[in-house]
């Protein structure tokens, strides 16, 4: 689907509710399926990715009904699926289920779409193999054939900070004999650790180390907060469209995810957090953000995992900041739904941004007037689609975004919500 986006000639104003966090939704449905009994999940994401996780749980014998709430009734264990399990576009689904299915007493096959079949799975296969798993894939890529085995705990020093890898190993550790100790260089999002603890797992965390032992999970009622990664598009719109002022309700504020707020603060953006609360161990609140004069910053090191999914839209923001913005230590962005370094730089250049690609990130020189007046590509990547939409709102001439419907992967409500805050 092609989407035409035109320059906004008036500010965005209003108050919007941000839909459910994608990462927490995956965890809620998968972990509830591993717990014996009835779990109730309130505010489950409507994104295609979490729905892929839900469909797989059903194919593995779990009784799940999605109405307003998602109700899970599980025996606390999975049964073999009759057909391959399709993870769609979702890296989280594939990596989590690889860890879980490696320790079952049956065999499974995990498949994915074109993009997911090109994403590296060796990062989970290697440590799982050390635990005793037997996983076969074409040189570390999907489809993955998983031969269920008894697993042993290991101590593993992960070379990258990835919550998907960490979660895969912890989920294998939940079924393994002995302790599993996982170290990561910088702390990645810790929703798995928090939710497993909430459900009674034997898990401890200290700085960048997590220790887990074999445990039974208890069923729970969860309420999922809004997704800060989805909120990021609206934060950026409000910061770059003159005179804007919006309130984003119910945004998850877990410190392992709030890198975007740290960047906005460093850039000098005008925002405040209102009405903080906690939902099932996850902090959340409302964010008020206004149009701001911004300055360039350097984004690197331990900040990167806290904003990994926001980098394409931060690049858009940086085109409107005075001076140089440098993003480094982000080489893993090349392994996302697209090569997000190359694709972000290529497409923003088409719009007139002064931006260059580096091996582990990008450099953006601002402030630039984006000219637009062209077609841009999403590379089947939802985050590229929404970032380019934000850029289109400040381009002098209209732009046409090819493949805009990829937004449905994480944020099907995106356009509807946008329509409530603009008054052109
Ligand atoms: C996710 C972790 C991140 C992120 C992805 C979702 C998760 O990936 O990019 O969108 O839910 O754990 P990595 O942990 O591999 O960086």
């Amino acid at each position: 689907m092609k989407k035409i986006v035109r320059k906004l000639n008036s500010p965005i104003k209003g108050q919007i509710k941000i839909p459910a966090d994608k990462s927490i939704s995956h965890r809620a449905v998968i972990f509830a399926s591993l717990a014996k009994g009835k779990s109730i999940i309130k505010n489950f994401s409507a994104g295609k990715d979490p729905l892929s996780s839900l469909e797989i749980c059903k194919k593995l014998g779990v009784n799940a009904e999605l109405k307003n709430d998602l109700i899970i009734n599980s025996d606390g264990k999975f049964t073999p699926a009759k057909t391959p399990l399709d993870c769609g576009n979702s890296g989280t689904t594939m990596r989590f289920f690889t860890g879980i299915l490696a320790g079952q007493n049956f065999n499974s096959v995990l498949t994915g779409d074109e993009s997911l079949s090109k994403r590296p799975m060796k990062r989970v296969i290697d440590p799982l193999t050390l635990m005793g798993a037997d996983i076969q894939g074409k040189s570390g890529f999907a489809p993955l054939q998983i031969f269920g085995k008894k697993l042993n705990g290991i101590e593993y020093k992960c070379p990258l900070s990835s919550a998907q890898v960490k979660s895969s190993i912890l989920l294998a550790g939940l079924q393994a004999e002995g302790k599993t100790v996982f170290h990561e260089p910088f702390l990645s999002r810790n929703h798995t650790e928090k939710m497993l603890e909430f459900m009674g797992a034997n898990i401890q965390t200290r700085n960048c180390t997590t220790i887990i032992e074999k445990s039974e999970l208890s069923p729970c009622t969860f309420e999922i907060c809004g997704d800060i990664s989805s909120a990021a598009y609206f934060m950026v719109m409000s910061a770059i469209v003159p005179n804007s002022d919006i309130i984003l309700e119910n945004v998850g504020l877990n410190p392992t995810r709030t890198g975007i707020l740290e960047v906005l603060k460093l850039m000098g953006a005008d925002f405040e957090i209102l009405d903080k609360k906690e939902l099932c161990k996850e902090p959340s609140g409302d964010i008020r953000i206004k149009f701001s004069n911004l300055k360039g910053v350097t984004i690197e090191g331990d900040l990167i995992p806290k904003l990994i999914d926001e980098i394409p839209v931060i690049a858009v923001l940086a085109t409107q900041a005075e001076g140089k913005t440098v993003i480094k230590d982000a080489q893993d962005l090349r392994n996302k739904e697209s090569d997000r370094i190359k694709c972000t730089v290529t497409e923003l250049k088409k719009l007139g941004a002064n931006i260059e690609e580096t091996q582990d990130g990008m450099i953006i020189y601002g402030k630039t007037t984006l000219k637009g007046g062209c077609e841009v590509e999403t590379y089947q990547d939802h985050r590229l689609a929404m970032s380019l939409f934000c850029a289109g709102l400040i381009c002098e001439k209209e732009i046409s975004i090819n493949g805009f419907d990829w937004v449905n992967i994480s944020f099907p409500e995106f356009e509807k919500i946008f329509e409530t805050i603009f008054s052109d």
Side-chain angles (χ1 to χ4, degrees):
M1 175 195 132
K2 251 192 209 320
K3 173 83 194 159
I4 305 290
V5 184
R6 296 189 181 90
K7 183 172 176 155
L8 281 189
N9 293 313
S10 56
I12 55 169
K13 298 238 182 230
Q15 185 150 346
I16 55 184
K17 184 166 184 276
I18 297 297
D21 189 277
K22 170 166 87 74
S23 283
I24 300 177
S25 294
H26 281 292
R27 286 155 174 86
V29 62
I30 297 173
F31 302 174
S33 296
L34 291 170
K36 189 172 178 175
K38 178 175 173 181
S39 291
I40 302 172
I41 302 168
K42 295 177 189 284
N43 194 33
F44 186 71
S45 163
K48 278 192 177 175
D49 271 8
L51 292 174
S52 294
S53 288
L54 168 60
E55 280 314 305
I56 291 185
C57 291
K58 284 190 190 169
K59 278 199 162 184
L60 290 167
V62 173
N63 186 323
E65 206 184 344
L66 180 56
K67 287 192 178 151
N68 262 343
D69 295 337
L70 172 60
I71 313 287
I72 305 275
N73 275 298
S74 174
D75 294 339
K77 52 180 193 285
F78 288 139
T79 52
K82 295 186 185 70
T83 51
L85 300 164
D86 183 5
C87 304
N89 190 247
S90 173
T92 306
T93 307
M94 184 164 281
R95 294 185 176 122
F96 280 36
F97 276 104
T98 305
I100 294 169
L101 295 171
Q104 302 293 315
N105 59 3
F106 56 83
N107 304 337
S108 315
V109 177
L110 290 175
T111 61
D113 71 3
E114 195 191 325
S115 148
L116 185 55
S117 306
K118 290 189 200 135
R119 295 180 64 188
M121 295 300 145
K122 201 170 162 339
R123 54 184 62 197
V124 292
I125 296 175
D126 285 352
L128 290 171
T129 305
L130 293 174
M131 296 177 83
D134 183 359
I135 303 163
Q136 311 291 328
K138 277 184 291 163
S139 350
F141 295 94
L144 301 180
Q145 261 194 294
I146 303 174
F147 301 96
K149 296 277 178 227
K150 280 208 174 331
L151 304 178
N152 308 302
I154 52 164
E155 176 156 8
Y156 186 64
K157 210 170 167 183
C158 191
L160 69 161
S161 297
S162 159
Q164 294 185 352
V165 175
K166 174 170 65 179
S167 304
S168 182
I169 306 314
L170 295 179
L171 290 167
L174 196 63
Q175 319 161 61
E177 286 308 321
K179 269 187 188 164
T180 297
V181 183
F182 186 91
H183 307 279
E184 57 187 335
F186 299 126
L187 189 61
S188 61
R189 65 191 68 189
N190 62 3
H191 306 302
T192 294
E193 298 90 302
K194 279 176 172 280
M195 199 178 286
L196 288 178
E197 195 191 333
F198 186 66
M199 297 178 73
N202 188 349
I203 184 168
Q204 288 134 41
T205 54
R206 222 176 106 230
N207 304 325
C208 295
T209 297
T210 309
I211 305 171
I212 194 161
E213 286 182 72
K214 198 174 196 163
S215 334
E216 301 272 306
L217 300 181
S218 313
C220 274
T221 297
F222 299 111
E223 186 167 346
I224 301 174
C225 56
D227 196 327
I228 190 165
S229 298
S230 300
Y233 303 102
F234 291 96
M235 291 184 213
V236 169
M237 284 178 206
S238 193
I240 65 177
V241 173
N243 303 318
S244 295
D245 180 2
I246 58 172
I247 294 178
L248 308 168
E249 286 172 41
N250 184 38
V251 182
L253 295 172
N254 179 317
T256 61
R257 295 284 299 281
T258 48
I260 176 84
L261 297 179
E262 293 182 44
V263 167
L264 283 164
K265 192 167 178 194
L266 289 170
M267 285 187 159
D270 184 356
F271 74 93
E272 61 183 322
I273 312 281
L274 316 161
D275 194 21
K276 266 197 175 176
K277 51 182 190 261
E278 198 171 277
L279 276 179
C280 307
K281 285 193 178 280
E282 293 283 353
S284 64
D286 298 348
I287 300 173
R288 177 171 189 179
I289 178 157
K290 298 180 187 170
F291 171 71
S292 314
N293 290 318
L294 305 169
K295 54 179 193 291
V297 294
T298 295
I299 304 168
E300 61 187 331
D302 63 352
L303 195 48
I304 296 296
K306 297 189 206 167
L307 46 68
I308 190 73
D309 291 339
E310 286 66 79
I311 291 177
V313 78
I314 287 174
V316 174
L317 183 72
T319 66
Q320 302 310 300
E322 283 300 338
K324 184 170 161 184
T325 293
V326 181
I327 302 174
K328 51 186 177 189
D329 304 324
Q331 53 275 27
D332 205 35
L333 269 191
R334 296 194 184 276
N335 297 314
K336 296 293 178 188
E337 286 83 330
S338 68
D339 174 342
R340 284 191 182 147
I341 296 180
K342 193 182 211 52
C343 298
T344 302
V345 171
T346 305
E347 299 311 301
L348 290 184
K349 236 183 212 163
K350 284 185 191 165
L351 300 181
N354 187 350
I355 181 168
E356 58 191 59
E357 179 178 345
T358 60
Q359 172 267 325
D360 66 345
M362 58 192 85
I363 303 176
I364 304 114
Y365 301 89
K367 176 176 182 175
T368 348
T369 304
L370 299 181
K371 300 212 164 40
C374 58
E375 284 197 6
V376 283
E377 304 301 326
T378 53
Y379 305 90
Q380 309 185 344
D381 184 335
H382 55 129
R383 306 229 177 263
L384 255 295
M386 291 181 279
S387 301
L388 291 167
F389 184 101
C390 295
L393 300 177
I394 52 162
C395 282
E396 286 184 330
K397 292 192 185 139
E398 71 175 37
I399 67 167
S400 169
I401 307 175
N402 289 326
F404 188 72
D405 38 346
W406 282 91
V407 297
N408 295 331
I409 290 294
S410 62
F411 198 173
E413 309 86 346
F414 180 80
E415 277 190 88
K416 261 208 176 119
I417 291 182
F418 175 73
E419 278 160 22
T420 66
I421 52 166
F422 99 108
S423 54
D424 251 9

